Amino acid sequence: MNDQTFMKLMRLLPKSAVSTVVGMATRVPVPAPVHQAAMRAFARSYNVDMAEAEHPIEHYPTFAQFFTRGLKPGLRPIDPDEKSVVSPVDGRVSQVGYSEHGRCLQAKGIEYTVDELLGDAEAAKPFHGGAWTTIYLSPRDYHRIHAPLAGTITGYAYIPGEFWPVNPASVMNKQSLFCVNERLVTYLQTAAGQCAVVKVGATCVSRIKASYDDITTHTGQPGKVHRYQEGYKVEKGGELGRFEMGSTVILLFEAGRVKWESSLQPEAPLRLGQRIGVLP
């Protein structure tokens, strides 16, 4: 199927309803032999490395719990340098750069603005001209999201939206894809100033859950912006949330506060805790 045919089909598909149904199916307890067979088939199809999983397949009572599985302790060491910025996830770099005039690159010929992404022009101002990167999580990856720097969680924004796929065909053809899809933004105050960790939903990403508060997306609730009076301390590499099925994370930093490593290039594989940038 070529990209144009795929996009036409996606326009017709009731993506939100499909994502809801898939999410419900992954959370329904079924007889152990049935869901264990499904999980093993998924692991084989996507080459999931179960040797890294915190528990064997038999431990997970639902597919959703298997998909959001933890890693064995110590498997992803966090770069200890106080000035280093680390990858918040396992995944692959989609794009990377500095948001000149508040604009970020989605794909060749397609840009979007930080204002659109965050849904708040005032909240976006500090990130104009700053370092940003987009990281794609494939179905085989570990699907928890972590802090790229130590700091304080100062608030969040839940932005309801659509559920377009975030595969290459959509990224290269759907204008402002990441600004159209559902998002959960976590704001941090760090040694690099403000940081935004944007978790982007997609087709069959039934929910995004935060680890620091009772926030779950795609539950029929309206959009919400919340700022904490005191906030929550988080260490570098501390968990921020998880995807129930795979998607994309976008990191935003204030202008002049983070310099990317030269190795951070499109298609580069990443592991949680790996050094990807530095505070000048």
Side-chain angles (χ1 to χ4, degrees), residues 22-43:
V22 169
M24 292 174 63
T26 64
R27 296 188 294 273
V28 172
V30 295
V34 175
H35 75 74
Q36 288 177 16
M39 288 186 284
R40 289 194 176 94
F42 181 92

Side-chain angles (χ1 to χ4, degrees), residues 61-261:
T62 67
F63 190 91
Q65 287 171 294
F66 156 71
F67 197 85
T68 58
R69 63 194 176 276
L71 296 171
K72 289 179 178 176
L75 197 64
R76 296 285 188 273
I78 308 300
D79 188 289
D81 188 337
E82 291 185 0
K83 290 192 173 183
S84 70
V85 178
V86 303
S87 174
V89 293
D90 284 4
R92 186 173 294 274
V93 178
S94 177
Q95 296 291 341
V96 60
Y98 301 88
S99 59
E100 185 177 353
H101 304 300
R103 304 193 70 84
C104 302
L105 181 66
Q106 177 178 303
K108 185 177 180 180
I110 301 178
E111 293 183 330
Y112 60 90
T113 68
V114 176
D115 300 42
E116 292 176 292
L117 181 67
L118 299 182
D120 184 333
E122 193 63 31
K125 281 182 180 179
F127 304 111
H128 285 211
W132 63 272
T133 186
T134 305
I135 306 170
Y136 171 67
L137 287 72
S138 73
R140 74 180 299 273
D141 287 319
Y142 166 68
H143 280 88
R144 299 188 186 184
I145 305 104
H146 299 253
L149 285 166
T152 301
I153 299 171
T154 58
Y156 65 86
Y158 166 44
I159 308 168
E162 299 183 35
F163 290 85
W164 284 85
V166 291
N167 61 1
S170 294
V171 170
M172 291 187 291
N173 290 281
K174 178 64 176 175
Q175 183 67 43
S176 299
L177 170 65
F178 304 129
C179 307
V180 171
N181 276 11
E182 181 169 80
R183 279 107 61 214
L184 177 62
V185 184
T186 301
Y187 290 99
L188 303 169
Q189 187 66 38
T190 73
Q194 292 188 65
C195 166
V197 182
V198 185
K199 297 162 283 294
V200 183
T203 308
C204 295
V205 179
S206 56
R207 301 193 301 189
I208 307 169
K209 300 183 74 172
S211 303
Y212 51 85
D213 205 337
D214 185 20
I215 313 157
T216 303
T217 70
H218 199 44
T219 57
Q221 299 298 314
K224 182 179 181 181
V225 176
H226 182 75
R227 298 292 182 180
Y228 299 114
Q229 287 189 342
E230 296 184 6
Y232 297 97
K233 295 292 184 183
V234 63
E235 61 185 2
K236 182 160 62 174
E239 187 177 325
L240 298 178
R242 59 190 68 178
F243 287 117
E244 293 189 356
M245 301 299 277
S247 194
T248 292
V249 168
I250 301 173
L251 290 183
L252 303 172
F253 292 97
E254 289 188 36
R257 304 300 293 270
V258 168
K259 180 181 179 182
W260 294 129
E261 293 284 293

